[in-house]
């Protein structure tokens, strides 16, 4: 289908906000917390790479890949773990890093799952938030940008696996 990409959040805006979030997170953790960033694959990869480099607090990284989509484009409450964490998180300080919170279904399930493993603390950082779409309430501790209900791509977010590599957030404009 013919389409074009329109910039919603520029590279400079993204980078400035990531630096702000990093400073907020730095205020809340110390080196002694031995913070573990848990990135949700694949959308969070670019955000996490920039965020941890902007932070002063030393971190470790791990990744999880969960899929909450059935056949449709709407996430369901049904979350499948495609790749679990490599390590035990009991007693660890965890910060989940996500690209976008939409219905909240994905994060809600991930939080439920990780809480059962008894971490010392569990917080969430999401680059984007579409509050108008929320179905399940999930407390997000650090939010980069609130955006309207539009399908966005770039900076980790994809449309059928494309556009993750764009350095800005754009929206897809369908033509015809
Ligand atoms: P939720 O479970 O509805 O909150 O969906 C969250 C997941 O859906 C995110 O991790 C994204 O992978 C995906 N998603 C939601 N909205 C968008 C979008 O506008 N563009 C690309 N992916 C999206
Ligand atoms: Mg995702």
């Amino acid at each position: 289908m013919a389409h074009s990409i329109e910039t919603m959040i520029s590279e400079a805006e993204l980078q400035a906000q990531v630096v702000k979030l990093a400073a907020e997170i730095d205020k809340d953790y110390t080196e002694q917390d031995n913070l573990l960033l848990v990135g949700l694959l694949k959308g969070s990869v670019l955000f996490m790479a920039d965020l941890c480099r902007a932070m002063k607090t030393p971190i470790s990284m791990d990744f999880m890949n969960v899929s909450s989509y059935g056949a449709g484009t709407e996430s369901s409450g049904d979350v499948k773990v495609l790749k679990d964490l490599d390590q035990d998180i009991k007693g660890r300080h965890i910060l989940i890093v996500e690209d976008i919170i939409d219905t909240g279904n994905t994060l809600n399930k991930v939080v439920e799952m990780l809480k059962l493993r008894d971490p010392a603390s569990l917080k969430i950082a999401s680059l984007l938030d579409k509050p108008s779409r929320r179905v399940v309430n999930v407390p997000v501790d650090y939010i980069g940008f609130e955006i309207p209900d539009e399908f966005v791509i770039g900076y980790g977010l994809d449309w059928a696996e494309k556009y993750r590599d764009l350095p800005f957030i754009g929206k897809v404009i369908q033509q015809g």
Side-chain angles (χ1 to χ4, degrees):
M1 207 184 303
H3 65 275
S4 61
I5 307 289
E6 190 179 284
T7 302
M8 181 187 274
I9 307 170
S10 71
E11 181 171 6
E13 288 173 303
L14 279 175
Q15 293 303 329
Q17 189 59 19
V18 167
V19 166
K20 274 195 198 163
L21 286 179
E24 269 184 59
I25 296 168
D26 277 335
K27 270 196 253 163
D28 297 343
Y29 296 93
T30 66
E31 182 164 2
Q32 283 65 43
D33 290 326
N34 194 19
L35 180 62
L36 179 65
L37 298 185
V38 168
L40 301 187
L41 295 170
K42 299 170 240 180
S44 70
V45 165
L46 276 71
F47 173 43
M48 184 149 140
D50 286 341
L51 184 68
C52 70
R53 282 181 291 183
M55 284 168 59
K56 294 196 174 73
T57 313
I59 54 102
S60 311
M61 288 184 196
D62 207 340
F63 295 94
M64 243 179 135
N65 192 4
V66 298
S67 160
S68 57
Y69 286 81
T73 51
E74 181 100 346
S75 82
S76 61
D78 210 6
V79 167
K80 216 167 49 180
V81 178
L82 304 174
K83 185 224 169 285
D84 205 338
L85 298 175
D86 292 339
Q87 60 205 281
D88 189 11
I89 58 166
K90 189 176 166 65
R92 294 291 306 270
H93 291 281
I94 305 298
L95 179 60
I96 298 172
V97 181
E98 176 61 313
D99 53 357
I100 185 166
I101 176 164
D102 188 28
T103 65
N105 281 321
T106 308
L107 270 177
N108 184 54
K109 287 289 168 180
V110 169
V111 165
E112 270 180 18
M113 232 182 302
L114 296 189
K115 273 189 175 160
L116 291 174
R117 301 179 190 183
D118 212 14
S121 70
L122 185 61
K123 287 193 182 185
I124 301 172
S126 183
L127 176 72
L128 305 175
D129 181 16
K130 278 187 202 170
S132 61
R133 295 258 308 161
R134 199 75 87 256
V135 172
V136 199
N137 181 44
V138 187
V140 182
D141 303 277
Y142 310 99
I143 293 174
F145 301 88
E146 276 192 9
I147 61 167
D149 181 11
E150 312 234 36
F151 191 80
V152 292
I153 44 96
Y155 198 62
L157 292 106
D158 73 306
W159 183 32
E161 294 301 327
K162 285 170 72 178
Y163 301 120
R164 292 193 196 275
D165 52 332
L166 297 179
F168 59 89
I169 297 287
K171 62 181 181 188
V172 178
I173 312 289
Q174 303 284 0
Q175 272 135 4

